[in-house]
Structures are given as C-alpha cells and as structure tokens.
Amino acid sequence: MITEQMSKKLTISSINTGMVIDHIPDKRSFKISSILNLYKYAGSVAIISSAKSKSMGFKDIIKLEGKHLDLEEIDKIALLAPGATINIIENSRVISKKLLSTPIKINGLLKCFNPNCITNHEIIKTKFVTESTNPYVIRCVYCERTFQDDIIRRMLV
Amino acid sequence: MYLDYMTLIDLQNSNKDLISVRDFTREKIEYILSIVKKIEAMPEKQQKLIAKGKIISSLFFEPSTRTKLSFESAAYSLGCSVIGFSGTSGTSVKKGETLSDTIRMASAYSDLIVMRHPLEGAAKKASEVSDVPVINGGDGSNQHPTQTLLDLYTIYKHKGTLDGLTVTLAGDLKYGRTVHSLAHALSLFNNNKILLVSPDILEMPDDILNEIGGRVTIQKTSLVDAIKESDILYMTRIQKERFSDLQEYEQVKGFYILTKKMLADAKSDLKVMHPLPRVNEIAVDVDDTKHAIYFEQAKNGVPTRMALIALLLGVIK
C-alpha cells in the first residue's frame, strides 16, 4: 500500500473499499488509532501524519481498507477530531462524504473526569451533553461538572 | 404570583423529581413558592391532612442536621410517616449494596424518597431507577436545590420580589454549592445584580460565571463596599482547611467577618442571610439587629420542603 519513490515523496495508494478519515488535526491520528484499537484490525491500515494541507497547515489521514466504522467509533473520532471528514469508498470511488461534528449527546464513550462522580463508583453508563462547540465544552449529566477540549480527549475509554 | 397550568403538569408528571437547580425555570420557582405560601398560611390541622397516610423514605447516606430534621419535620407536618436511615452503618450499603438497589428497595416501600449522598450525581442516578419521586437533599458538592428554594422563599418574603435585587454573595464562593445554586436561580429573574466578595483563592469558578454571566450583572467587590448597596447579604463560612498557607488565612479572615458596626452604612432594609452552620463569620451582635434573618431562613426550610413533598406526591395544586 505504501511505496517510497525515488523523489522521496511518500505515496499511499488509494483503497478499493473502506473508509478514509481526512482532515484530522496534526498528530492526532495516533490517539484515534489507539482508541479504536486499529492495531488489532486484520486489514490494511494507513496512518499518514503531518501531511501538508492548504487549510490546516498539517493534517493527519487514516485509510482503512475493507472496514466501515460503526456509529460509536465515528462519535469517538468526532470527539477527538471535530472537523474531520469521513469518506466512504466503494469500487475505488467516494460514495459518501461526511463532515464530523461533535455529538450533542455522548453516551458510554467517556469516563467522567470527576473522581467524586457516581459514575466512577458504580457500574453506570456515563452520559454527557454538549454545552458549547467553540470552545468545546461538555457537561456530565450526573455530577453536572463541565469539561473542555484537552480533558475530554483524556476521558475517552 | 404567576401560576401556569403547564408548569403544574410538568411538576407532577414528566418531571417527577427535584434534582438540580438547572432544571428550574422562573415559572417553576414562582409556582413552587406560591405553594409554600399557601401551605404556610394553612392551619396545622389542615396541613396534617395534605399527605395523610403517605410514607416518605429519608435516606441520608451521610450525616446531616438541618436538612434531615427539616425534611422529616415537613413530612410529619403533612401527615406522612417517615422511614429511613442516617449514615450507612447497619444498612445493606455497608454490605456493598449498590445505590441503585437501595433506591429500588426504598421506592417499593414508600411514596417518595428524600436523599443525601456524598457522591455527585447520586440523586440523578436514583431518580432514574426509582418509581417514586426523588428529592435531592444534597449530592456531594454538586446540588442542594431545596436549600436554594428556601433561600428564594426567604428573600421573596422580605422583598416581595425576586427581580431587581442587589445580592451579595460573600465567603467561600469556590466550593460553596449554596452560593452557586443561588446565583444560578437569581439569574433566571430580571435585573438582578450579584456582588461577589471572597478571597482570591475562593473566587466563584469561571464555568458558573460563564453560565449565568449573560443573564445577570456580576461584580467583584469588598464586603465594606457591598454592604452599602445590597438588598441581601448572603454570608458563607470560609473554611480554614481550604488554605494551604495558614498565614494567608489569618491575613484574610478578618475581611469576611460581619459585625454590627459594619452594618451602620447598610440600607435600612438590608437582610443578612446564611445557610448555617455559622462559626465566626457573623458576629453574634448582628443576631439582634433588624437585618438578621438567618434563623428565620432555616425555619423556612420546613414549609418549603412541605410544599415540595406535597407537589411531587401530587396531593396539592
């Protein structure tokens, strides 16, 4: 899938069927890969980091051959990389393109950062609601604490 | 006071619990306070018939004095019986029973649950598993909505309005859930001004200021300056243990102690409130002044909680 040409350009061939997650903020693809356990995936996975981008300066891209992520996985990516795009590829053609925005309700994806929250003491599915998108702020439905960007990324389970 | 039929429906049906000040609207608060007033005006004999035969679970997973006593007093005054515990020793909780299971059991044995719990969000979780209404009597440092309602009732009784007031919140504004909730509730009304008086390390958190900032005027000031323009002075305790540097505590503590002498410049109808217990932040010589209403404030906890129990039981309109 990856070939290094004489020109020292890194070229990654297109995929036949699967997903391309584009416009990921620079260097964040590694965290996405870890959260989605992509290392366990049997098919081809390409992680391109710090690719030049006109709009972002540098961006990351993940290509998944033969894999379609489920809604929960897409929500996790949206939390880590709001503004990323997901392209669904079939027969080497983009059949749909979706811009990821942060979910309004986030159920079961995050561990509350407040150690005194009931969800950290009993088996309870966590629930958060988005309070604002810029800056990105979410509120725990249980303990009512709010959390911002960096902390939210650390709360992903 | 404004009474809206939809608010009534909301209180009695879709919104069966009282968990957080964030669930309040101006209309809901006004409706609840109108019921408090109605109940307070009733003769005791009539009050006793309001919820006669109903059973209230009083589940205090951590100790409490005023909240527990006033809830139980409220329940008895409405003709209810009370079952429950205070502290978890001798209960199944000590054996490792989950909150959800304890609540399911209490929900089967009673018509309404009043609870206090050391963990934040416990009341919300309880409301999800309970078949009967749940009233939050305090969940960790998160919410204590019945305190806010009795505070509002006390202010309303003395000022005749909850609009256009200058309210000073003084003391520990960082950790004090009472002042957070009161600030939130005051922001639901019109033209209120909130003055904040606290040491730098105990300032009101930004997330609360951001949440209410667009709806109410907020200004930081000193206690001496605040006294001159306030309609309500809401004092809270500054706990010594909040300071890592005790010398800093010694330096600032004097600025947050209210004395009778300091009230010389106050408006004649300034009212001083405090959620209690008080330690030394209000000198005892303030007690006998016309400004002090903190003991009456604590007393208002009973009719306020009677109204809430009756409303959530659906036995009063």
Side-chain angles (χ1 to χ4, degrees), chain A residues 114-119 121-125 127 131 139 141-146 148, chain B residues 20 22 98-100 117-122 124-125 128 139-143 207 211:
Chain A
N114 170 16
N116 215 32
C117 178
I118 185 76
T119 59
H121 296 261
E122 297 206 359
I123 301 166
I124 295 170
K125 187 176 182 181
K127 294 179 196 169
E131 290 251 314
R139 186 184 294 281
V141 167
Y142 292 98
C143 73
E144 302 187 29
R145 293 271 178 97
T146 55
Q148 282 205 29
Chain B
S20 169
R22 284 200 178 79
T98 63
L99 171 71
S100 299
H117 199 284
L119 294 174
E120 287 126 38
K124 174 71 182 171
K125 181 62 202 170
E128 290 177 349
D139 59 330
S141 64
N142 183 32
Q143 291 283 331
D207 63 329
E211 195 178 357

Side-chain angles (χ1 to χ4, degrees), chain A residues 77-136:
Chain A
I77 298 171
L79 286 167
L80 283 165
T85 49
I86 290 204
N87 302 284
I88 297 179
I89 316 287
E90 272 179 26
N91 299 321
S92 302
R93 293 178 62 179
V94 177
I95 60 155
S96 87
K97 190 167 189 164
K98 190 187 172 194
L99 175 68
L100 291 186
S101 57
T102 45
I104 294 166
K105 289 182 179 178
I106 307 144
N107 295 339
L109 301 181
L110 303 171
K111 177 180 159 63
C112 185
F113 209 67
N114 170 16
N116 215 32
C117 178
I118 185 76
T119 59
N120 286 318
H121 296 261
E122 297 206 359
I123 301 166
I124 295 170
K125 187 176 182 181
T126 60
K127 294 179 196 169
F128 296 84
V129 289
T130 298
E131 290 251 314
S132 81
T133 48
N134 191 20
Y136 186 44

Side-chain angles (χ1 to χ4, degrees), chain B residues 188-235:
Chain B
L188 300 174
F189 291 81
N190 298 326
N191 304 321
N192 285 326
K193 183 175 178 183
I194 298 178
L195 302 177
L196 305 175
V197 175
S198 73
D200 290 346
I201 63 160
L202 295 176
E203 283 185 351
M204 191 165 279
D206 284 344
D207 63 329
I208 293 170
L209 294 177
N210 292 340
E211 195 178 357
I212 65 171
R215 303 196 295 256
V216 68
T217 308
I218 299 170
Q219 198 178 307
K220 291 176 190 170
T221 184
S222 68
L223 188 55
V224 173
D225 287 339
I227 286 169
K228 292 175 195 162
E229 61 169 309
S230 296
D231 298 304
I232 297 288
L233 171 55
Y234 197 100
M235 298 290 294

Side-chain angles (χ1 to χ4, degrees), chain B residues 281-309:
Chain B
E281 58 278 11
I282 302 178
V284 287
D285 65 2
V286 177
D287 296 1
D288 297 329
T289 68
K290 62 187 175 185
H291 302 292
I293 56 168
Y294 27 90
F295 295 118
E296 184 204 323
Q297 178 190 355
K299 199 176 160 191
N300 285 337
V302 176
T304 305
R305 288 169 176 131
M306 285 170 78
L308 293 168
I309 291 171

Side-chain angles (χ1 to χ4, degrees), chain B residues 51-269:
Chain B
K52 196 176 174 209
K54 298 286 185 186
I55 299 172
I56 307 297
S57 280
S58 164
L59 310 183
F60 280 72
F61 294 81
E62 67 174 7
S64 143
T65 311
R66 267 166 309 284
T67 306
K68 182 175 182 296
L69 290 179
S70 76
F71 259 120
E72 293 182 4
S73 173
Y76 287 122
S77 300
L78 290 167
C80 303
S81 311
V82 179
I83 58 172
F85 53 79
S86 178
T88 53
S89 66
T91 70
S92 307
V93 178
K94 270 280 177 264
K95 296 173 192 165
E97 185 176 56
T98 63
L99 171 71
S100 299
D101 284 1
T102 307
I103 295 298
R104 281 190 190 100
M105 177 209 69
S107 156
Y109 296 163
S110 59
D111 300 295
L112 181 143
I113 294 169
V114 172
M115 65 177 283
R116 167 168 289 192
H117 199 284
L119 294 174
E120 287 126 38
K124 174 71 182 171
K125 181 62 202 170
S127 72
E128 290 177 349
V129 296
S130 172
D131 293 329
V132 300
V134 173
I135 297 180
N136 185 3
D139 59 330
S141 64
N142 183 32
Q143 291 283 331
H144 192 6
T146 63
Q147 175 72 45
T148 308
L149 287 166
L150 77 88
D151 289 344
L152 293 172
Y153 184 62
T154 305
I155 295 171
Y156 179 74
K157 263 178 102 170
H158 283 272
K159 299 294 173 187
T161 180
L162 294 172
D163 291 311
L165 299 171
T166 299
V167 178
T168 296
L169 306 175
D172 180 354
L173 306 185
K174 184 173 184 183
Y175 299 100
R177 63 183 173 193
T178 313
V179 284
H180 299 167
S181 299
L182 184 57
H184 189 104
L186 287 169
S187 77
L188 300 174
F189 291 81
N190 298 326
N191 304 321
N192 285 326
K193 183 175 178 183
I194 298 178
L195 302 177
L196 305 175
V197 175
S198 73
D200 290 346
I201 63 160
L202 295 176
E203 283 185 351
M204 191 165 279
D206 284 344
D207 63 329
I208 293 170
L209 294 177
N210 292 340
E211 195 178 357
I212 65 171
R215 303 196 295 256
V216 68
T217 308
I218 299 170
Q219 198 178 307
K220 291 176 190 170
T221 184
S222 68
L223 188 55
V224 173
D225 287 339
I227 286 169
K228 292 175 195 162
E229 61 169 309
S230 296
D231 298 304
I232 297 288
L233 171 55
Y234 197 100
M235 298 290 294
T236 61
R237 186 156 56 100
I238 292 182
Q239 290 170 278
K240 204 174 179 176
E241 54 270 30
R242 300 286 188 207
F243 290 78
S244 53
D245 181 353
L246 283 184
Q247 196 180 331
E248 195 183 341
Y249 169 75
E250 293 300 328
Q251 279 168 2
V252 303
K253 71 173 184 186
F255 293 107
Y256 306 97
I257 294 175
L258 182 69
T259 62
K260 185 177 180 177
K261 200 178 163 192
M262 291 164 77
L263 291 167
D265 292 335
K267 286 184 182 178
S268 63
D269 61 349

Side-chain angles (χ1 to χ4, degrees), chain A:
Chain A
M1 198 171 185
I2 303 173
T3 56
E4 198 166 349
Q5 295 179 335
M6 292 300 286
S7 61
K8 295 198 173 175
K9 263 189 172 179
L10 195 64
T11 318
I12 295 166
S13 59
S14 55
I15 57 176
N16 182 37
T17 302
M19 272 184 169
V20 176
I21 309 156
D22 198 356
H23 303 105
I24 299 169
D26 192 25
K27 304 290 183 201
R28 209 165 286 165
S29 54
F30 300 106
K31 179 75 177 174
I32 292 174
S33 166
S34 156
I35 289 288
L36 298 184
N37 292 325
L38 292 183
Y39 66 93
K40 287 184 180 171
Y41 176 55
S44 300
V45 177
I47 296 174
I48 305 146
S49 188
S50 295
K52 278 188 181 170
S53 158
K54 279 182 190 166
S55 58
M56 300 172 72
F58 291 96
K59 65 174 183 179
D60 286 7
I61 305 162
I62 298 175
K63 293 188 177 189
L64 302 165
E65 176 79 53
K67 181 173 171 71
H68 289 291
L69 299 169
D70 62 30
L71 289 175
E72 191 174 287
E73 290 171 317
I74 290 171
D75 274 350
K76 285 183 180 179
I77 298 171
L79 286 167
L80 283 165
T85 49
I86 290 204
N87 302 284
I88 297 179
I89 316 287
E90 272 179 26
N91 299 321
S92 302
R93 293 178 62 179
V94 177
I95 60 155
S96 87
K97 190 167 189 164
K98 190 187 172 194
L99 175 68
L100 291 186
S101 57
T102 45
I104 294 166
K105 289 182 179 178
I106 307 144
N107 295 339
L109 301 181
L110 303 171
K111 177 180 159 63
C112 185
F113 209 67
N114 170 16
N116 215 32
C117 178
I118 185 76
T119 59
N120 286 318
H121 296 261
E122 297 206 359
I123 301 166
I124 295 170
K125 187 176 182 181
T126 60
K127 294 179 196 169
F128 296 84
V129 289
T130 298
E131 290 251 314
S132 81
T133 48
N134 191 20
Y136 186 44
V137 179
I138 59 169
R139 186 184 294 281
C140 173
V141 167
Y142 292 98
C143 73
E144 302 187 29
R145 293 271 178 97
T146 55
F147 305 98
Q148 282 205 29
D149 292 313
D150 285 352
I151 298 289
I152 296 169
R153 287 194 274 279
R154 289 164 64 186
M155 288 159 60
L156 270 163
V157 289

